[in-house]
Amino acid sequence: MKISYNWLAKYLDSKLSAIEIATILTDTGLEVESTTAIGQVKGGLEGIVVGEVIDCIQHPNADRLKITQVSIGTKQLQIVCGATNVAIGQKVAVALVGTTLYPSPDNPLTIKEAKIRGEESFGMLCAEDELGIGNSHDGILILEEDAPIGAPINEVIKLHPDFEFEIGLTPNRSDAMGHIGVARDLKAFLNHHRNSELSIDWPILKNQKVIDNKEVIVSNTDQENCSRYCSAVIENVSVAESPEWLKIALQSIGLKPINNVVDVTNYVMYELGTPLHAFDTAALSGEIKVRQAEVNETIVTLDGIERKLKGTELVIANAKEALCLAGIIGGQKAAVSNTTSTLFLESALFNAETIRKTAKIHNLNTDASFRFERGVDPDLTFFALNRAIDLLLEVTGGQLSQGPHDLLIHAPKVKKIDIDLTQINKLIGIQLSGVAVEKILLDLDFQINTKNESCWTVTAPNYRTDVNRMADVAEEILRIIGFNSVPIPEKFHYAFTPPPIVTKNNCEKQVSEFLVAKGYSEIMMNSLSKASYSAYIPEDEEPVKIMNPLSSELSQMRQTLIFGLCETIVYNQNRQQSDLKLFEFGASYHKVKENYVQTNQLALSISGKQEVENWNNTKNPSTIFTLKGTIYSLFARFNLDEISESFVENSAYFSEGLTFSIDNQVVAEIGTLKQELKSNFGIKNDVFIALIKWDVLFDFIQKKTIIFKGLPKTFEVRRDFSLLLNEATNYQEIERIAFQSEKTLLKKVNLFDVYEGDKLENGKKSYAVSFHFQDIEKTLTDQVIDTCMEKIRMNLEKNLGASLR
């Protein structure tokens, strides 16, 4: 919502700068998102005068340029101009040679004598954006015909310096939907913090005499949705352009002036926060009715759209048809135009829920609906009508012929709230005296009903729809004191919520989401499989056969999830989809001796390229290390870090692979699918598969506790070894020996390069290994690190025959 600095000053003479006001409003809960200077031009338009175009001819050397002769009173200037709208007889803005323009504040443009396509030019005819007074660049700025030639442009174009505040209004702050509401918060803050005695300068009404003519008969048949309807009729109005002061006020908050009638209703709405609507009485047929819409009734609204109503809307109608969607938008039939001579003026109190539903149904969001949806001040409904009457009589020259009338169905319920000052001080964290609390509440329009030591009864103002209990009153007090005034305690007390119980279903969901995020697709295969697959299972495991199978294809329970993965890979491969990442949760079934065993597994497979084919990737094929990285990431997801590896060759399903163990218990196995299995299934690419014992892994996940550790105050130190090793040595042995050599300071070991080539002696290979050290209490010295590295080197040499290259 936009608020004008100058407009705000009409109600509260704070003598504060725009920046100070923005800071105070933000501190009181009306967050000022931006402060924009308007009507201010850098340089003050100095050096720019009014000129008259005496002659205008086509440039001989350019199709899009013209040569003009411009009189500035004291002399005549030749100026080359590219505007399409320049013509003889126009009054224009002329920037003289030496003038500096500011099309944007940071890009000054100084006018110089110039030769443009061979023709001399002594100045510039300016557009709005070049002067810095607007955004239009459609052509040069054309001034009024009576603008005096040679006069400084800043005397012709009246600038009205102002600041526009953009307030991010929260839904509960319906009280601040007008300038007076904003001024109220500002007043309360200044009176408390600066011991001021400021008060709001409310508009003074002229107390129009009530005229009881029955020119327009008003009835309300939907009193539930319209609890108050105030109206008046003004005749002999002259609909015309608004006076300058009214246009300036509306333009200062970004509104475009329309005519004096519409502008007055907008002015009062932004002044008090109360929407109004004016009807042309020629469309009323002598009657105004507040009623519920009829099903399929139609109305053409002011935006030119014909809307079919559903029967739940509240409308303002004459005897025959709807003329307005109440509280949202008017209709074209009763719209005020230049031919309007008599007005019917409405100020009403509509049900917020009904207005919101109607606005949503018809996809409308107007200034009026914005206010009614949040709840307008019920005590200002009649005041706003009288305020608008006074202004309309002033700017239209009309006379009051009926009203003002106030059709009040029921008054708003008084909200009395019991408060305890002791409890309020605890809530806000500051000890306030009763005098300070009372002053703040009175400045915020609360009434103090009774005071019994610390126990008070107060009445909240009707416009504060969100204040219903003591905590709300405490928040109001705290807003004015300032949230930044609350001292930060030396000690905080927290109640930590116990971690949620880890269930297998939740854990499976987390793993599935993790794998999908890494590009895997979940599959779900049948638990029944072919009898021919029995040839691939270990000899000590018998298949679990179905007594009455439907077919030989489904004659026994599956012994492993691997076969389902292979079937899926072949199916996709035959459809030109060979780059696959798959996973499945499921059970496998075995018969060991006389016992039936069911094992829950998680199986993963990768084949084809690591990434989707793209011009920017290297098209690397997937390897067993790609799958190994996924497995380690999965372990890390659940804080499982004590993992040991063992190399396995020629197992039941893999030609080579690795097993992963925790506490000497195997939890997973990965490997390269055997060529025999690939051939029998018809798989062309290499396939890498991981089988995870899900029940075993879940047991470890359940046992793992989260331990908090503070961030170390010291930094990590890295040292590298380039090791010459026997070809049979694996990295796990290096890692094991390193951690055995230094158990305290060594935090991480990493293999970052491998070399095997003819430059090394036969049977040798080279590993580049990094070692990371850290002491969480103090910074490590080179001497300490060198000692650790020497100990590791000696143990690697002793146990593995390793040497440094």
Side-chain angles (χ1 to χ4, degrees):
M1 191 188 75
K2 294 178 180 178
I3 293 293
S4 159
Y5 174 83
N6 290 343
W7 196 344
L8 193 64
K10 293 179 181 180
Y11 313 110
L12 190 73
D13 186 16
S14 65
K15 295 183 173 59
L16 298 175
S17 68
I19 299 300
E20 288 175 311
I21 288 177
T23 302
I24 291 172
L25 292 179
T26 300
D27 286 345
T28 60
L30 298 176
E31 182 181 1
V32 177
E33 297 175 342
S34 65
T35 302
T36 306
I38 58 176
Q40 301 178 40
V41 177
K42 191 172 182 179
L45 300 179
E46 291 293 331
I48 305 169
V49 299
V50 177
E52 182 178 9
V53 180
I54 304 300
D55 190 23
C56 179
I57 62 172
Q58 184 66 44
H59 194 296
N61 302 319
D63 293 339
R64 297 186 180 182
L65 297 178
K66 294 178 182 178
I67 302 173
T68 65
Q69 301 296 325
V70 182
S71 171
I72 59 170
T74 56
K75 57 182 175 179
Q76 187 170 304
L77 301 174
Q78 177 172 295
I79 299 176
V80 177
C81 178
T84 57
N85 66 331
V86 64
I88 296 173
Q90 292 173 338
K91 297 289 180 68
V92 294
V94 181
L96 302 177
V97 172
T99 299
T100 300
L101 300 178
Y102 296 88
S104 61
D106 300 326
N107 294 303
L109 171 66
T110 301
I111 306 301
K112 301 176 182 178
E113 291 183 15
K115 222 173 215 187
I116 303 175
R117 293 291 184 95
E119 298 293 334
E120 291 183 322
S121 182
F122 300 93
M124 177 177 174
L125 305 186
C126 302
E128 274 189 18
D129 63 337
E130 292 163 340
L131 293 173
I133 62 172
N135 298 317
S136 174
H137 195 72
D138 295 334
I140 58 171
L141 176 65
I142 309 301
L143 304 174
E144 298 292 335
E145 292 182 4
D146 59 354
I149 298 173
I153 201 74
N154 52 21
E155 294 179 4
V156 177
I157 300 175
K158 297 294 184 182
L159 299 177
H160 303 280
D162 198 353
F163 291 93
E164 178 187 271
F165 302 117
E166 182 76 40
I167 295 179
L169 199 65
T170 52
N172 66 308
R173 293 304 308 276
S174 59
D175 61 299
M177 293 189 296
H179 282 74
I180 285 181
V182 175
R184 185 190 297 117
D185 270 15
L186 189 58
K187 174 200 71 173
F189 183 93
L190 294 175
N191 285 349
H192 175 75
H193 288 274
R194 304 191 182 181
N195 294 318
S196 305
E197 294 295 335
L198 296 173
S199 60
I200 303 295
D201 293 330
W202 283 82
I204 299 174
L205 301 180
K206 296 180 180 178
N207 296 321
Q208 303 289 341
K209 183 179 178 181
V210 177
I211 300 174
D212 288 328
N213 289 342
K214 300 297 181 182
E215 189 175 342
V216 178
I217 299 172
V218 179
S219 61
N220 181 2
T221 62
D222 194 344
Q223 298 179 358
E224 182 181 347
N225 289 317
C226 178
S227 59
R228 190 174 192 178
Y229 196 85
C230 307
S231 62
V233 177
I234 302 174
E235 62 183 6
N236 298 325
V237 299
S238 175
V239 180
E241 186 178 343
S242 295
E244 192 68 16
W245 69 266
L246 183 53
K247 290 193 292 184
I248 291 170
L250 296 179
Q251 288 168 345
S252 69
I253 55 172
L255 293 184
K256 181 180 179 181
I258 298 173
N259 59 52
N260 50 4
V261 174
V262 175
D263 292 350
V264 163
T265 59
N266 282 334
Y267 182 87
V268 174
M269 177 173 64
Y270 274 90
E271 178 180 56
L272 303 174
T274 302
L276 301 100
H277 191 67
F279 298 83
D280 188 335
T281 56
L284 304 187
S285 303
E287 184 178 354
I288 276 285
K289 183 182 291 186
V290 184
R291 63 170 173 83
Q292 196 170 42
E294 297 175 1
V295 177
N296 294 329
E297 182 177 9
T298 60
I299 178 176
V300 179
T301 48
L302 288 173
D303 54 7
I305 298 174
E306 183 179 31
R307 302 180 187 276
K308 183 180 288 188
L309 307 184
K310 298 184 178 298
T312 58
E313 301 91 342
L314 184 68
V315 297
I316 311 299
N318 60 18
K320 297 179 181 179
E321 59 187 328
L323 302 174
C324 171
L325 282 177
I328 302 174
I329 191 171
Q332 281 192 346
K333 182 161 186 176
V336 173
S337 66
N338 291 337
T339 61
T340 300
S341 60
T342 307
L343 301 173
F344 177 85
L345 188 62
E346 162 198 285
S347 177
L349 191 60
F350 299 122
N351 180 274
E353 185 178 345
T354 300
I355 299 301
R356 179 168 179 78
K357 286 181 178 178
T358 301
K360 291 298 179 185
I361 288 171
H362 295 284
N363 195 26
L364 287 166
N365 182 21
T366 64
D367 284 340
S369 66
F370 176 82
R371 285 159 175 78
F372 280 120
E373 287 174 17
R374 287 157 176 76
V376 299
D377 186 351
D379 297 330
L380 285 182
T381 307
F382 194 56
F383 183 94
L385 178 75
N386 283 283
R387 172 65 167 155
I389 291 171
D390 289 349
L391 292 175
L392 285 171
L393 295 183
E394 176 187 337
V395 301
T396 66
Q399 294 88 41
L400 188 65
S401 63
Q402 178 179 319
H405 292 306
D406 185 4
L407 185 58
L408 178 62
I409 307 304
H410 53 80
K413 186 179 179 181
V414 176
K415 294 186 294 184
K416 290 187 177 182
I417 305 170
D418 294 327
I419 64 172
D420 185 333
L421 296 189
T422 304
Q423 188 63 26
I424 282 181
N425 284 333
K426 286 182 179 180
L427 285 172
I428 65 178
I430 299 176
Q431 293 300 312
L432 291 176
S433 66
V435 174
V437 170
E438 182 175 2
K439 186 177 181 182
I440 291 172
L441 292 178
L442 291 176
D443 278 335
L444 293 175
D445 293 347
F446 283 77
Q447 294 179 12
I448 312 296
N449 300 320
T450 62
K451 292 194 292 185
N452 183 10
E453 294 182 353
S454 67
C455 296
W456 296 7
T457 300
V458 302
T459 300
N462 290 325
Y463 58 75
R464 288 312 304 267
T465 56
D466 61 322
V467 178
N468 301 292
R469 53 184 181 158
M470 182 172 64
D472 299 331
V473 177
E475 183 182 357
E476 289 301 289
I477 296 168
L478 185 55
R479 282 197 310 108
I480 302 307
I481 294 169
F483 296 101
N484 293 331
S485 301
V486 179
I488 298 175
E490 296 180 359
K491 186 178 182 181
F492 287 96
H493 298 277
Y494 293 101
F496 289 100
T497 305
I501 298 173
V502 180
T503 65
K504 187 170 284 188
N505 285 340
N506 287 340
C507 206
E508 285 185 11
K509 182 180 178 182
Q510 290 180 46
V511 171
S512 298
E513 291 174 348
F514 170 84
L515 292 173
V516 168
K518 284 189 168 290
Y520 286 77
S521 299
E522 184 174 11
I523 65 171
M524 286 180 281
M525 302 299 290
N526 201 326
S527 296
L528 303 177
S529 67
K530 297 179 182 179
S532 58
Y533 291 162
S534 300
Y536 306 118
I537 65 174
E539 294 180 358
D540 58 342
E541 297 179 2
E542 294 182 39
V544 179
K545 297 183 179 180
I546 305 299
M547 294 181 66
N548 296 302
L550 295 175
S551 69
S552 60
E553 298 289 319
L554 303 170
S555 61
Q556 63 188 32
M557 305 297 288
R558 64 182 175 190
Q559 297 91 358
T560 176
L561 303 187
I562 291 178
F563 302 143
L565 290 171
C566 291
E567 290 175 356
T568 305
I569 291 169
V570 171
Y571 182 88
N572 281 272
Q573 174 188 283
N574 293 341
R575 287 157 180 80
Q576 299 183 2
Q577 300 295 323
S578 56
D579 303 330
L580 300 171
K581 291 182 177 182
L582 307 173
F583 76 95
E584 180 182 14
F585 281 100
S588 61
Y589 307 89
H590 313 277
K591 184 179 180 183
V592 180
K593 296 181 180 179
E594 297 301 319
N595 298 318
Y596 291 94
V597 179
Q598 176 179 325
T599 305
N600 291 314
Q601 295 179 334
L602 167 60
L604 291 78
S605 72
I606 58 171
S607 61
K609 293 186 283 292
Q610 288 187 27
E611 299 175 355
V612 177
E613 188 174 6
N614 186 284
W615 69 271
N616 198 32
N617 64 37
T618 56
K619 302 179 183 178
N620 287 334
S622 298
T623 68
I624 192 170
F625 298 105
T626 310
L627 187 58
K628 179 181 176 182
T630 302
I631 298 300
Y632 267 106
S633 296
L634 181 61
F635 289 154
R637 170 65 182 80
F638 295 100
N639 298 314
L640 300 174
D641 48 10
E642 300 294 332
I643 311 295
S644 60
E645 299 178 13
S646 297
F647 180 74
V648 177
E649 193 173 12
N650 199 27
S651 65
Y653 307 111
F654 305 134
S655 56
E656 60 179 3
L658 295 169
T659 61
F660 301 91
S661 302
I662 302 175
D663 291 343
N664 297 319
Q665 191 171 356
V666 176
V667 295
E669 180 182 3
I670 67 171
T672 305
L673 191 66
K674 281 185 172 180
Q675 184 61 43
E676 178 188 359
L677 277 170
K678 284 171 52 182
S679 299
N680 289 339
F681 277 95
I683 299 173
K684 300 174 184 177
N685 296 333
D686 286 339
V687 176
F688 308 97
I689 291 177
L691 277 179
I692 298 174
K693 297 180 179 180
W694 180 241
D695 291 329
V696 177
L697 182 63
F698 179 70
D699 287 341
F700 284 111
I701 292 172
Q702 277 187 308
K703 295 173 185 176
K704 192 70 176 180
T705 56
I706 298 173
I707 300 174
F708 170 79
K709 292 181 180 178
L711 292 173
K713 298 178 181 179
T714 60
F715 53 86
E716 196 177 78
V717 179
R718 167 177 165 163
R719 291 286 189 273
D720 297 342
F721 273 161
S722 179
L723 299 171
L724 187 63
L725 303 159
N726 294 325
E727 204 170 42
T729 303
N730 60 51
Y731 166 71
Q732 283 70 32
E733 293 178 275
I734 298 173
E735 187 178 56
R736 177 181 57 80
I737 292 170
F739 279 114
Q740 286 178 348
S741 303
E742 178 49 62
K743 298 178 180 179
T744 305
L745 300 179
L746 184 62
K747 303 301 180 184
K748 185 172 67 174
V749 181
N750 181 51
L751 173 66
F752 64 90
D753 190 35
V754 176
Y755 176 73
E756 295 175 313
D758 54 5
K759 294 183 179 181
L760 300 177
E761 59 183 281
N762 194 32
K764 295 289 186 178
K765 62 183 177 181
S766 176
Y767 276 3
V769 183
S770 63
F771 303 87
H772 301 258
F773 302 90
Q774 188 174 37
D775 189 329
I776 61 174
E777 299 296 335
K778 59 185 179 181
T779 302
L780 293 173
T781 63
D782 288 340
Q783 183 179 357
V784 172
I785 298 169
D786 290 344
T787 301
C788 294
M789 291 294 289
E790 180 62 20
K791 189 188 301 183
I792 293 172
R793 186 197 66 77
M794 292 175 62
N795 285 330
L796 290 174
E797 181 180 4
K798 177 181 177 182
N799 294 282
L800 302 178
S803 61
L804 299 182
R805 288 189 66 191

